[in-house]
């Protein structure tokens, strides 16, 4: 099962905005509005940050936003803070009731 | 608050069966949602293993389907994972999670490390 494609790493300075891309196919990202984004700190469980492409769970900062165009979804973090340094994973519903994750992106706050 | 807790052996021998249980508190799994398993091998990203609905329907990662079984015990409010014929490649941190419609995992267990080694 091929994973969704994410950049291995991105970086930004405090206060800046960064965007992480997540590219799939018409069988997953492009075919359904079921893209999610998770944040994971080392040694911790993942935390849901965005679901259904652009919805934020209660308690998640509005600095986090999601969008999608064709087969590529994006996570944007505005007003970057040191605490945002973590690994970020996209996931998408895929045809036939399956789920697929991206390879993960390491965000470094400079 | 929904809480999930994985339990099971931390060491499994090659070719044997990996068996984990996820106990759920703060929510009755018979009320709905999906319940699933995800793993993270050392130095790699997250990999979806499979899920089960509250009614018992199961869906698995095609690459693991021949070796995986997920079951649910409504009376104990828990669900379980069995992975057969394990190899070193199955060494990972295993997480259980609750999934909402669209398969977004909104609550996660802390994860448990399972090492496959003789």
């Amino acid at each position: 099962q091929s994973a969704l494609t994410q950049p291995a790493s991105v970086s930004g300075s405090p206060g800046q905005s960064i965007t992480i891309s997540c590219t799939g196919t018409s069988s997953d990202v492009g075919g359904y509005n079921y893209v999610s984004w998770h944040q994971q700190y080392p040694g911790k469980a993942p935390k849901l940050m965005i679901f259904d492409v652009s919805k934020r769970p209660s308690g998640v900062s509005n600095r986090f936003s999601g969008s999608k165009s064709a087969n590529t979804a994006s996570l944007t973090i505005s007003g970057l803070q040191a605490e945002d340094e973590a690994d970020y994973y996209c996931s998408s519903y895929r045809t036939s009731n399956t789920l697929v994750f991206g390879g993960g992106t390491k965000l470094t706050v400079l | 608050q929904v809480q999930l807790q994985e339990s099971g052996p931390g060491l499994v021998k090659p070719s044997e069966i990996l068996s984990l249980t996820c106990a759920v508190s703060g929510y009755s799994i018979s009320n709905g949602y999906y319940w699933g398993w995800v793993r993270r091998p050392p130095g790699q990203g997250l990999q979806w293993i499979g899920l089960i609905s509250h009614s018992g329907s199961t869906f698995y990662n095609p690459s693991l389907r021949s070796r995986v079984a997920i079951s649910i015990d409504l009376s104990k409010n828990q669900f379980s994972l069995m992975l057969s014929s394990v190899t070193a490649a199955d060494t990972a941190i295993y997480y259980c999670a609750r999934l909402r419609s669209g398969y977004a995992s909104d609550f996660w267990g802390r994860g448990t490390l399972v090492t496959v080694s003789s």
Side-chain angles (χ1 to χ4, degrees):
Chain A
Q1 186 188 42
S2 55
L4 305 175
T5 301
Q6 297 182 233
S9 63
V10 299
S11 63
S13 299
Q16 289 185 332
S17 293
I18 64 95
T19 296
I20 300 172
S21 62
C22 171
T23 301
T25 69
S26 58
S27 294
D28 37 64
V29 174
Y32 307 91
N33 289 322
Y34 291 140
V35 176
S36 303
W37 290 90
H38 290 86
Q39 175 191 65
Q40 187 175 33
Y41 293 114
K44 299 295 186 181
K47 175 186 176 183
L48 181 65
M49 306 301 285
I50 296 288
F51 67 98
D52 293 355
V53 176
S54 59
K55 298 177 182 177
R56 276 189 310 276
S58 175
V60 171
S61 170
N62 59 10
R63 298 186 299 105
F64 291 82
S65 62
S67 62
K68 189 185 81 166
S69 177
N71 294 337
T72 298
S74 299
L75 172 71
T76 298
I77 307 174
S78 59
L80 205 58
Q81 300 178 0
E83 67 197 48
D84 299 331
E85 186 164 295
D87 293 330
Y88 291 85
Y89 292 90
C90 64
S91 66
S92 174
Y93 176 89
R94 176 177 276 180
T95 304
S96 300
N97 290 300
T98 59
L99 177 66
V100 61
F101 282 94
T105 298
K106 181 177 179 59
L107 169 61
T108 300
V109 180
L110 302 171
Chain B
Q1 178 76 338
V2 181
Q3 293 186 320
L4 298 90
Q5 178 66 58
E6 306 89 350
S7 62
L11 181 64
V12 182
K13 290 182 169 55
S15 80
E16 295 191 346
I17 296 174
L18 180 159
S19 182
L20 296 174
T21 295
C22 181
V24 180
S25 59
Y27 185 84
S28 174
I29 61 177
S30 62
N31 285 345
Y33 287 94
Y34 300 97
W35 306 90
W37 293 93
V38 175
R39 69 183 183 181
R40 184 172 182 179
Q44 298 183 40
L46 298 175
Q47 182 184 33
W48 176 66
I49 299 171
L51 61 87
I52 188 166
S53 72
H54 67 285
S55 60
S57 299
T58 52
F59 303 99
Y60 302 125
N61 184 323
S63 66
L64 298 171
R65 182 174 291 139
S66 63
R67 300 193 293 127
V68 174
I70 296 176
S71 59
I72 199 165
D73 188 334
L74 299 179
S75 66
K76 294 183 178 179
N77 215 42
Q78 64 186 34
F79 59 104
S80 299
L81 168 70
M82 293 185 69
L83 182 65
S84 63
S85 305
V86 297
T87 69
D90 295 308
T91 293
I93 298 174
Y94 285 77
Y95 299 96
C96 60
R98 188 182 84 167
L99 296 86
R100 52 186 300 141
S101 62
Y103 290 5
S105 303
D106 57 359
F107 289 96
W108 294 71
R110 292 186 175 183
T112 186
L113 174 63
V114 179
T115 301
V116 178
S117 174
S118 56

